[in-house]
């Protein structure tokens, strides 16, 4: 009986994936020039506002639009709204009203000025934050350390997928050549999908997202964009909106985007979201000592950060953090100068100048930036600690095998 249920679920999943592929193919065939004719029509003094929120999966984004009577110039000018949470994995159908509370506003690169993108927090019917509303707690934590001026920069890797669900540009019944020529590559045989990347870059600049760069990654059809520096909770705001814009751009090209940490099994690089972090003291003269002290605290809370760094409590990163393909081993903490196999890397220039920032390479591509940045602040600035025994036991639950209990995390390197 159980085998029959598994078979039915498998068949349902196959039909769903087939429908998704059909929808992608159909979307790509729509004439975008015809749409442009309608978007050029005058809209008077009215403004279209697209409300964006994170759904109950903790990874997916949803949106819907409404008309405002005039152009808003700040978040308080935008009214709250609501939606049906039973259709977004966020409530039961018997009591499904959820509230959208505007938190950040950006220019709309699709409808253009004066229209807006509005990133929202989600509240339940009792006006308490929804379970996947991690922004509210992050905001409170960042407010408590505001005097330290925590800056963040996040390197978002992603994979472009074609209508068949395979990485864009890959042969339908095979694989491209081995990794090597694709990272920062140039040419149609090395850069798969640059049109999407360029469109996304310009759309983010128009919107006011603090995007600061982009490049092709090691696996073909895998790319990266960087957002930052951003201070406090703004890091999460800007990264989520950049992700939303990327999804929308891919719609226009008939592609989809995957933030899966290991989209292709085997000898192919995974996808992460390396997070650069600094405080005012780290950036000042002698800041290297502050960086090393922060790394020591991160070593003691390795398991806590592993659980925080992907939406499944570390299970997604099990596939990625293997110690291979420029990653550290999930079961062990490590740190080093210019070492891309370490959990935390000190860039070479930082070591030479003896001040700057650290790079935490553990967050997965599908991480929630609010909880990643909050975890860094709690450990490095608020100096929160937990019993190492508890942490080791829990990291064993997400690793492929439990770590040796007698082997503590190694200390970070000390630079003379």
């Amino acid at each position: 009986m159980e085998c029959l249920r598994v078979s039915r679920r498998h068949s349902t999943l196959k039909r769903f994936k087939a429908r998704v592929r059909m929808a992608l193919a159909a979307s790509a065939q729509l004439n975008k020039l015809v749409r442009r004719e309608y978007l050029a029509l005058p809209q008077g003094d009215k403004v279209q506002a697209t409300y964006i929120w994170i759904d109950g999966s903790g990874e997916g984004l949803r949106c819907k639009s409404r008309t405002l009577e005039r152009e808003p110039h700040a978040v308080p000018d935008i009214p709250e709204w609501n939606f049906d949470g039973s259709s977004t994995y966020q409530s039961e159908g018997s009591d499904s009203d959820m509230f959208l509370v505007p938190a950040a506003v950006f220019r709309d690169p699709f409808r253009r000025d004066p229209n807006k993108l509005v990133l929202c927090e989600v509240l339940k019917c009792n006006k308490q934050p929804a379970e996947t509303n991690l922004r509210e707690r992050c905001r409170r934590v960042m407010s408590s350390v505001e005097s330290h001026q925590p800056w963040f920069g996040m390197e978002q890797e992603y994979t472009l997928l074609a209508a068949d669900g395979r990485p864009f540009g890959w042969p339908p019944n095979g694989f491209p050549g081995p990794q090597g020529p694709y990272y920062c590559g140039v040419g149609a045989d090395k850069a798969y999908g640059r049109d999407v990347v360029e469109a996304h870059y310009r759309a983010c600049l128009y919107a006011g997202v603090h995007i600061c760069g982009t490049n092709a990654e090691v696996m073909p059809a895998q790319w990266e964009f960087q957002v930052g520096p951003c201070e406090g909770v703004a890091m999460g705001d800007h990264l989520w909106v950049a992700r939303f814009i990327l999804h929308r751009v891919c719609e226009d090209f008939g592609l989809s985007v995957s933030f899966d940490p290991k989209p292709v099994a085997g000898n192919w690089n995974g996808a992460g979201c390396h997070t650069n972090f600094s405080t005012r003291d780290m950036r000042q003269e002698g800041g290297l000592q502050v960086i090393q002290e922060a790394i020591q605290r991160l070593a003691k809370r390795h398991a806590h950060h592993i659980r925080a760094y992907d939406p499944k409590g570390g299970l997604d990163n099990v596939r990625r953090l293997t110690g291979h393909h420029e990653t550290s081993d999930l079961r062990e903490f490590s740190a080093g100068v210019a070492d891309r196999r370490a959990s935390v890397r000190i860039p070479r220039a930082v070591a030479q100048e003896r001040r700057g920032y650290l790079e935490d390479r553990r967050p997965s591509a599908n991480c929630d930036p609010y909880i990643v940045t909050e975890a860094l602040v709690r450990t490095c600035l608020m100096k929160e600690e937990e019993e190492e025994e508890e942490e080791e036991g829990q990291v064993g639950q997400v690793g492929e095998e439990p770590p040796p209990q007698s082997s503590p995390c190694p200390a970070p390197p000390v630079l003379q």
Side-chain angles (χ1 to χ4, degrees):
M1 196 64 183
E2 179 63 24
C3 291
L4 181 60
R5 283 196 293 268
V6 170
S7 177
R8 286 174 176 170
R9 285 197 297 268
H10 182 66
S11 298
T12 301
L13 182 60
K14 286 180 65 177
R15 288 196 297 271
F16 172 75
K17 289 182 176 180
R19 287 196 295 270
V20 169
R21 290 194 293 268
M22 290 173 61
L24 282 172
S27 176
Q29 293 171 8
L30 294 175
N31 192 324
K32 312 304 179 185
L33 293 177
V34 172
R35 183 186 64 180
R36 187 181 302 174
E37 293 295 317
Y38 293 98
L39 290 179
L41 293 172
Q43 61 188 70
D45 294 329
K46 308 286 187 182
V47 170
Q48 291 173 279
T50 300
Y51 286 56
I52 305 164
W53 71 97
I54 303 162
D55 69 17
S57 70
E59 302 179 59
L61 286 164
R62 307 293 180 112
C63 70
K64 64 177 187 172
S65 299
R66 70 182 296 178
T67 302
L68 304 180
E69 294 301 315
R70 61 187 64 85
E71 181 179 1
H73 296 286
V75 170
D77 299 335
I78 304 172
E80 294 184 11
W81 206 8
N82 56 68
F83 69 97
D84 171 18
S86 67
S87 299
T88 61
Y89 318 119
Q90 289 172 293
S91 70
E92 298 293 332
S94 58
D95 191 5
S96 63
D97 280 358
M98 308 282 285
F99 296 98
L100 293 172
V101 180
V105 60
F106 296 82
R107 298 168 69 193
D108 187 338
F110 306 104
R111 293 170 174 151
R112 304 194 180 184
D113 290 337
N115 304 299
K116 305 297 181 186
L117 302 179
V118 183
L119 182 66
C120 299
E121 289 191 22
V122 176
L123 302 185
K124 297 184 286 190
C125 59
N126 60 2
K127 288 289 187 172
Q128 295 301 306
E131 284 71 15
T132 51
N133 178 5
L134 301 175
R135 185 185 188 277
E136 194 272 340
R137 190 179 67 184
C138 178
R139 179 186 56 78
R140 286 189 281 109
V141 168
M142 295 300 174
S143 296
S144 70
V145 297
E146 189 174 2
S147 62
H148 292 275
Q149 299 174 4
W151 289 3
F152 302 94
M154 301 187 80
E155 305 169 18
Q156 177 69 72
E157 295 178 335
Y158 62 94
T159 307
L160 295 175
L161 302 180
D164 61 1
R166 290 173 58 80
F168 176 70
W170 285 35
N173 297 308
F175 296 91
Q179 295 181 155
Y182 308 107
Y183 173 71
C184 297
V186 178
D189 58 337
K190 300 178 183 69
Y192 297 12
R194 193 184 297 275
D195 287 344
V196 173
V197 176
E198 293 295 334
H200 172 251
Y201 199 160
R202 188 61 61 88
C204 282
L205 290 173
Y206 181 93
V209 170
H210 291 171
I211 188 170
C212 60
T214 188
N215 59 268
E217 268 301 333
V218 178
M219 187 181 83
Q222 187 184 77
W223 294 81
E224 173 185 299
F225 64 88
Q226 302 93 34
V227 175
C230 296
E231 186 168 340
V233 74
M235 182 68 254
D237 295 344
H238 283 251
L239 188 63
W240 274 116
V241 171
R243 287 174 174 176
F244 171 81
I245 292 173
L246 180 58
H247 281 297
R248 284 290 313 276
V249 168
C250 284
E251 283 184 27
D252 285 346
F253 284 94
L255 303 179
S256 62
V257 59
S258 171
F259 296 110
D260 188 277
K262 188 70 173 177
V264 182
N267 194 26
W268 303 98
N269 273 36
C273 194
H274 304 155
T275 301
N276 302 285
F277 169 61
S278 72
T279 65
R280 181 192 58 208
D281 290 344
M282 291 179 185
R283 298 187 293 269
Q284 291 178 348
E285 195 70 33
L288 184 60
Q289 178 62 34
V290 183
I291 293 172
Q292 291 177 328
E293 291 170 358
I295 292 175
Q296 290 174 352
R297 287 191 283 273
L298 289 169
K300 294 177 181 178
R301 299 191 83 198
H302 177 58
H304 171 81
H305 284 263
I306 288 296
R307 293 196 304 273
Y309 283 177
D310 77 53
K312 296 180 178 63
L315 290 174
D316 275 346
N317 257 336
V318 167
R319 296 179 286 126
R320 170 178 161 259
L321 297 181
T322 61
H324 304 288
H325 303 108
E326 299 181 59
T327 69
S328 60
D329 190 322
L330 174 139
R331 299 163 297 177
E332 300 174 359
F333 182 88
S334 58
V337 175
D339 186 356
R340 284 177 165 77
R341 297 171 300 176
S343 306
V344 175
R345 181 178 74 98
I346 298 176
R348 178 70 64 190
V350 172
Q352 292 173 344
E353 296 176 13
R354 308 190 70 79
R355 63 178 178 179
Y357 63 96
L358 61 85
E359 179 194 40
D360 194 330
R361 298 177 60 81
R362 294 171 292 176
S364 64
N366 60 344
C367 70
D368 188 314
Y370 294 126
I371 196 170
V372 170
T373 54
E374 178 190 335
L376 284 166
V377 164
R378 285 184 178 274
T379 298
C380 299
L381 284 176
M382 301 174 73
K383 302 181 181 179
E384 293 186 359
E385 295 182 1
E386 285 147 352
E387 291 297 324
E388 187 66 23
E389 292 78 14
E390 290 183 20
E391 294 287 358
E392 287 181 350
Q394 294 188 35
V395 77
Q397 296 172 12
V398 298
E400 294 176 318
E401 58 186 22
Q405 297 296 311
S406 60
S407 177
C409 296
V414 176
L415 301 179
Q416 302 298 327

